[in-house]
Amino acid sequence: AQSVAQPEDQVNVAEGNPLTVKCTYSVSGNPYLFWYVQYPNRGLQFLLKYITGDNLVKGSYGFEAEFNKSQTSFHLKKPSALVSDSALYFCAVRDPSLTRGYNKLIFGAGTRLAVHP
Amino acid sequence: DAMVIQNPRYQVTQFGKPVTLSCSQTLNHNVMYWYQQKSSQAPKLLFHYYDKDFNNEADTPDNFQSRRPNTSFCFLDIRSPGLGDAAMYLCATSRDRAEQYFGPGTRLTVT
């Protein structure tokens, strides 16, 4: 079965330090991977995606993610965390069983990032 | 800016009283989705429209319905809200299988 795992419920990091939010996936075929961020009482905001090509993907707000096929991971990273990065982060993979039509996302459970001043 | 808009942002309804949530988009995307999200959990897909074609997820209760009168607008109707339907409802759009763009959500309270 297709699935996405975010092994950490919460990540705590000091402002200015690098941050990593972990994501691993299990899908058949080539994965199409996404990261979304959700601030309190807001919808999800698209951060970045991996479709093909370079394993290091750059996205919005200084975030990047590294695709590692051998480890089936797609960790989200940022070199220097800001307090304003504190939010809920979701990793997702497009359901590969659908070959046309819409983008059905399989979400991870989410990781709460807390950046402390 | 092109965007996904949801109205209202907060909705209070009574147990059993029908309620409609609204979504509009200026992205001209052909796919529109409705999700239910409870207490910081991952969003749960209820259904989507691919152009005019409605597609229900297998586990979406019959209590939830949707209408898409044109490309820009999509509505979520809850026929008889129960206490368990209190949640954040998210609308999203995409161009076919590309990434989804989400609206700010409507928080529904059932009293």
Side-chain angles (χ1 to χ4, degrees), chain A residues 32 34 36 38 41-46 49 88 90 94-96 98-105 107-109 112, chain B residues 9-10 31 33 35 37 40-43 45 48 50 57 88 90 94 96-105 107:
Chain A
Y32 286 22
F34 305 85
Y36 286 87
Q38 186 174 32
N41 288 313
R42 304 290 298 181
L44 278 65
Q45 291 182 30
F46 170 71
K49 65 180 177 183
L88 185 59
F90 288 101
R94 190 169 76 187
D95 187 340
L98 301 167
T99 57
R100 61 180 295 276
Y102 71 116
N103 176 2
K104 182 169 185 176
L105 293 174
F107 284 97
R112 189 164 299 281
Chain B
R9 294 292 319 280
Y10 300 90
V31 190
Y33 309 78
Y35 289 87
Q37 186 183 28
S40 299
Q41 297 176 18
L45 182 64
H48 77 276
Y50 182 85
E57 293 298 300
M88 175 77 89
L90 298 169
S94 73
D96 295 314
R97 304 187 73 213
E99 63 272 14
Q100 294 184 27
Y101 290 88
F102 285 78
R107 183 166 296 283

Side-chain angles (χ1 to χ4, degrees), chain B:
Chain B
D1 286 341
M3 57 190 348
V4 182
I5 301 160
Q6 289 188 247
N7 287 306
R9 294 292 319 280
Y10 300 90
Q11 176 74 58
V12 180
T13 191
Q14 293 176 336
F15 182 94
K17 185 175 181 181
V19 65
T20 295
L21 308 182
S22 170
C23 176
S24 64
Q25 54 130 342
T26 59
L27 297 161
N28 202 31
H29 285 168
N30 59 333
V31 190
M32 295 187 77
Y33 309 78
W34 278 104
Y35 289 87
Q36 180 191 65
Q37 186 183 28
K38 293 187 174 182
S39 57
S40 299
Q41 297 176 18
K44 178 182 182 298
L45 182 64
L46 296 173
F47 27 60
H48 77 276
Y49 272 94
Y50 182 85
D51 294 326
K52 296 181 180 179
D53 294 332
F54 176 73
N55 297 272
N56 209 26
E57 293 298 300
D59 57 354
T60 298
D62 292 341
N63 197 28
F64 292 87
Q65 309 267 313
S66 185
R67 296 169 285 134
R68 189 179 185 185
N70 54 52
T71 301
S72 301
F73 285 86
C74 195
F75 300 98
L76 170 62
D77 300 310
I78 308 177
R79 293 193 297 185
S80 182
L83 297 178
D85 296 328
M88 175 77 89
Y89 289 89
L90 298 169
C91 175
T93 72
S94 73
R95 166 62 57 190
D96 295 314
R97 304 187 73 213
E99 63 272 14
Q100 294 184 27
Y101 290 88
F102 285 78
T106 295
R107 183 166 296 283
L108 178 68
T109 300
V110 182
T111 61

